[in-house]
Amino acid sequence: MRVFITGATGHLGSALVPELLQHDHQVVGLARSAASAARLTGWGADVVRGDLDDLDTLRTAATAADGVIHLAFRHDAMQVGDLAGAADSDLAALQTIADALAGTGKPLVGTSGTGLLAPAGLDRPGTEDDVLPDGYRIDAENFVVDLAGKGIRSSVVRLPIVHGPLDTGFIVSLVEFARRNGFSAYIGDGTNRWSSVHTNDAARLYRLALESAPAGTRLHAVHDGGVEFRQIAEALGRGLDLPTRSITVDQAPEYIGYLAHFAAIDNPTTANRTRELLNWRTQEIGLLEDLALGHYFQ
């Protein structure tokens, strides 16, 4: 299959592109810079130059592909507080790709997050069957799932915290905040839970979704169903040789910046349906084991 990927050289893309190539797929990656293009070429992939806001480029690349995986998101905008702008850009890109694929039966794999289930206040772990009304990033998830009715084999992978040596996301940011503060922080008693998955296991799920997920499917890329945030903070403290300290919700923006909201959510989730549907089995270590390896602190 000739697969067009946005976010192809990001954290997850850096594992997914080799995963697809190793399974005899051709990859065309969207690259914003010459350095990103060089990385893709070095892996053996083809390159389309542009970014998420180049809608004509997205349309042309999606039309020429046998399937599309959409990983890219404007994390730069999210980190400076422009959540609405990042979400609007994401939805516009998906609408453009959908226009190119409509009626073809080709696969489109989108990306969402298990954390979006947290505000629902579930009294149990979240599942793939949980559907939320439109809201921040949820409208994009629901849009992709609904494309099953427009002749697209669409699916969405809900990601928890994704960890591993390729990580450039939340755990890396927590390490940076802890170094700056001189302590590793958690909010309140720290018993709220984060679900997580290793990068390589998540990449494998995206490949399986591309190859065989039924149209209109929600999938959970979850290994650890719920690790207490205090345990994560303590593991970071050990790795950095720093104390661990509780902070209040009001103090969180000062000490952990854009992660203030995410660090407080309680987000236990399961992936039972995903495992059964696609025979997906995680093969890598869990989050706390990964933190003990030390690569986050080098």
Side-chain angles (χ1 to χ4, degrees):
M1 198 181 296
R2 185 171 176 83
V3 187
F4 173 53
I5 304 179
T6 69
T9 59
H11 169 196
L12 190 48
S14 296
L16 178 57
V17 171
E19 170 77 13
L20 291 172
L21 293 171
Q22 289 165 12
H23 286 80
D24 299 323
H25 296 289
Q26 295 177 286
V27 173
V28 181
L30 184 69
R32 289 185 297 175
S33 67
S36 293
R39 289 185 70 193
L40 286 166
T41 302
W43 292 333
D46 295 328
V47 176
V48 171
R49 289 295 301 270
D51 62 27
L52 206 56
D53 295 323
D54 292 335
L55 300 184
D56 288 340
T57 298
L58 296 181
R59 184 179 296 105
T60 299
T63 300
D66 300 315
V68 178
I69 298 177
H70 178 54
L71 298 176
F73 191 75
R74 291 186 56 202
H75 294 285
D76 55 341
M78 182 183 74
Q79 291 177 5
V80 297
D82 186 13
L83 300 180
D88 288 346
S89 179
D90 184 50
L91 184 57
L94 282 167
Q95 290 169 335
T96 300
I97 293 168
D99 287 344
L101 299 182
T104 65
K106 295 177 181 179
L108 167 60
V109 185
T111 300
S112 186
T114 61
L116 297 176
L117 297 175
L122 303 174
D123 59 359
R124 53 164 175 76
T127 75
E128 298 90 336
D129 292 328
D130 290 316
V131 180
L132 299 176
D134 285 351
Y136 172 69
R137 294 201 74 177
I138 299 168
D139 51 356
E141 173 184 308
N142 292 340
F143 173 78
V144 172
V145 170
D146 289 344
L147 291 175
K150 295 187 176 181
I152 299 174
R153 185 165 60 79
S154 62
S155 60
V156 170
V157 176
R158 286 174 174 164
L159 292 173
I161 297 303
V162 184
H163 62 89
L166 298 172
D167 188 7
T168 58
F170 288 171
I171 299 299
V172 171
S173 293
L174 286 174
V175 169
E176 292 172 351
F177 286 128
R179 284 190 169 125
R180 185 191 71 185
N181 297 329
F183 65 91
S184 179
Y186 60 91
I187 297 174
D189 64 7
T191 57
N192 60 297
R193 295 154 292 180
W194 276 12
S195 54
S196 62
V197 71
H198 193 281
T199 310
N200 294 339
D201 285 326
R204 191 175 305 109
L205 179 56
Y206 273 90
R207 175 179 61 80
L208 293 172
L210 174 83
E211 293 172 346
S212 59
T217 305
R218 289 178 173 85
L219 303 165
H220 279 190
V222 173
H223 176 185
D224 290 318
V227 182
E228 288 190 357
F229 193 84
R230 180 170 182 167
Q231 292 181 287
I232 299 170
E234 290 171 342
L236 297 178
R238 286 191 296 271
L240 294 167
D241 195 23
L242 292 173
T244 305
R245 184 184 304 174
S246 172
I247 59 175
T248 67
V249 171
D250 290 340
Q251 291 173 320
E254 176 185 355
Y255 290 113
I256 51 177
Y258 80 99
L259 287 178
H261 167 72
F262 299 101
I265 67 172
D266 188 41
N267 184 223
T269 50
T270 68
N272 296 334
R273 184 178 178 187
T274 298
R275 296 176 191 278
E276 294 171 2
L277 184 65
L278 297 181
N279 195 30
W280 177 64
R281 299 293 182 269
T282 55
Q283 300 174 12
E284 305 289 346
I285 58 177
L287 174 57
L288 295 180
E289 296 168 285
D290 197 10
L291 292 176
L293 294 180
H295 60 83
Y296 275 102
F297 315 113
Q298 295 171 358

